[in-house]
Amino acid sequence: MVKLTVNGKARSVDVDPNTPLLWVIREQIGLTGTKYGCGIAACGSCTVLVDGAAIRSCALPVSAAAGKKIETVESLAQGGKLSKVQQAFVEKQAPQCGYCQTGMVMAVTALLRSNPKPSDADIDAAVTNICRCGTFQEVRAAVHAAAKAQGEYDECTCTKFISPPIHCRIQCSFCWISNWFGVPSCDWKCSSLHCASGNAPLNRGLGNDSAK
């Protein structure tokens, strides 16, 4: 019996320890978004994240993943909303036949977590997945689009303080507490998208409810 954690859920699977993780994910756990492409860790269609790293699951024994955090493409969309990476792939029309795209998306997800603003060279080095339809330019464009979309939530253009990125977030934290108790405290304007959208990393957007 091998114990795994897949997309935040504990799983126990009765398989040979040498079984490739890919087949355990697809056959035993029933998550079929991860694809079989080559079986020799060359094409990347089977890419999943293991402790945050992009791993080609067709060549990884399930025993090597025991006790580690495994993420598949099914974990990305939350509440029916695509992740920034998935949405960028759609907008830039990166999927053609689509078979390789789940692996591509997972590789890009890993890249952007470790390198939020990758260069073309960074993308080429980190995303070595094969697309038989040849949409590498669209994939690169999608990576840049996703990086920009994710970055918008970390930029702060607050002009109330001299050092906006730090002080804006401190102020947002106070606003969050004040608004939680129904006492709005914002008396300044912040044009940062992370405040306006309600997705701020720290204040979850509540602090800007009273911003003018």
Side-chain angles (χ1 to χ4, degrees), residues 34 112 131 193:
T34 306
L112 292 182
C131 173
L193 179 60

Side-chain angles (χ1 to χ4, degrees), residues 83-95 101 103-129 135-152:
S83 71
K84 297 296 181 183
V85 173
Q86 290 174 308
Q87 186 61 43
F89 267 66
V90 172
E91 292 175 354
K92 298 301 179 181
Q93 299 183 346
Q101 294 305 299
M104 287 273 194
V105 164
M106 296 308 291
V108 171
T109 297
L111 168 62
L112 292 182
R113 287 181 183 176
S114 62
N115 183 358
K117 295 182 179 180
S119 65
D120 285 347
D122 293 331
I123 296 169
D124 293 344
V127 185
T128 57
N129 302 47
T135 64
F136 298 106
Q137 294 299 324
E138 287 80 4
V139 169
R140 184 185 289 171
V143 176
H144 287 304
K148 181 179 179 181
Q150 292 182 168
E152 288 174 340

Side-chain angles (χ1 to χ4, degrees), residues 50-193:
V50 178
D51 281 350
I55 300 294
R56 298 185 177 180
S57 61
C58 71
L60 183 72
V62 67
S63 58
K68 298 180 180 180
K69 178 184 177 182
I70 302 166
E71 298 171 76
T72 72
V73 70
E74 287 88 352
S75 70
L76 299 184
Q78 296 293 322
K81 185 177 181 180
L82 297 177
S83 71
K84 297 296 181 183
V85 173
Q86 290 174 308
Q87 186 61 43
F89 267 66
V90 172
E91 292 175 354
K92 298 301 179 181
Q93 299 183 346
Q96 294 299 307
C97 80
Y99 195 83
C100 71
Q101 294 305 299
T102 55
M104 287 273 194
V105 164
M106 296 308 291
V108 171
T109 297
L111 168 62
L112 292 182
R113 287 181 183 176
S114 62
N115 183 358
K117 295 182 179 180
S119 65
D120 285 347
D122 293 331
I123 296 169
D124 293 344
V127 185
T128 57
N129 302 47
I130 295 173
C131 173
R132 292 184 181 275
C133 298
T135 64
F136 298 106
Q137 294 299 324
E138 287 80 4
V139 169
R140 184 185 289 171
V143 176
H144 287 304
K148 181 179 179 181
Q150 292 182 168
E152 288 174 340
Y153 292 96
D154 294 322
E155 295 172 0
C156 182
T157 55
C158 166
T159 57
K160 184 177 178 71
F161 299 103
I162 296 175
S163 304
I166 297 175
H167 291 292
C168 176
R169 294 187 182 195
I170 294 174
Q171 177 69 15
C172 282
S173 296
F174 284 118
C175 289
W176 186 91
I177 294 171
S178 297
N179 281 331
W180 183 263
F181 291 101
V183 184
S185 61
C186 282
D187 59 355
W188 45 272
K189 181 184 293 185
C190 179
S191 60
S192 172
L193 179 60

